[in-house]
Amino acid sequence: MIIDEIQYAPILMEVIESIVNKKRLEEGSANGMFVLTGSQTFSLMRGVTQSLAGRATILFMNPLSYSEIVEKDYHL
């Protein structure tokens, strides 16, 4: 499941943690169940009480460049 702008619903972090823990107990793995995106740094999110430690990988991505947005391929 992909959840965009997770910072607007921090309560979902507790629900996700519960789902992941249950899946791990039942099946041994819960990798890749959720993709959470947002425009705010995870550590700065207000209302987040769950760190998802050991359950999440955080990737920081740069914004798209202009050429990526307009789908142009510029070779130097």
Side-chain angles (χ1 to χ4, degrees), residues 4-50:
D4 189 25
E5 298 296 346
I6 189 70
Q7 71 270 13
Y8 293 117
I11 191 68
L12 287 179
M13 301 297 267
E14 292 178 33
V15 175
I16 291 168
E17 180 183 40
S18 176
I19 293 168
V20 169
N21 288 345
K22 183 178 180 197
K23 178 98 170 173
R24 279 185 170 176
L25 285 173
E26 292 173 353
E27 300 179 21
S29 176
N31 295 349
M33 288 183 66
F34 296 94
V35 174
L36 309 175
T37 68
S39 55
Q40 198 171 70
T41 303
F42 184 76
S43 62
L44 297 178
M45 287 177 50
R46 291 183 192 160
V48 173
T49 58
Q50 303 301 323

Side-chain angles (χ1 to χ4, degrees), residues 47-68:
V48 173
T49 58
Q50 303 301 323
S51 69
L52 297 179
R55 297 169 191 87
T57 298
I58 298 174
L59 301 173
F60 295 97
M61 300 178 71
N62 293 324
L64 295 173
S65 68
Y66 179 75
S67 63
E68 289 171 316

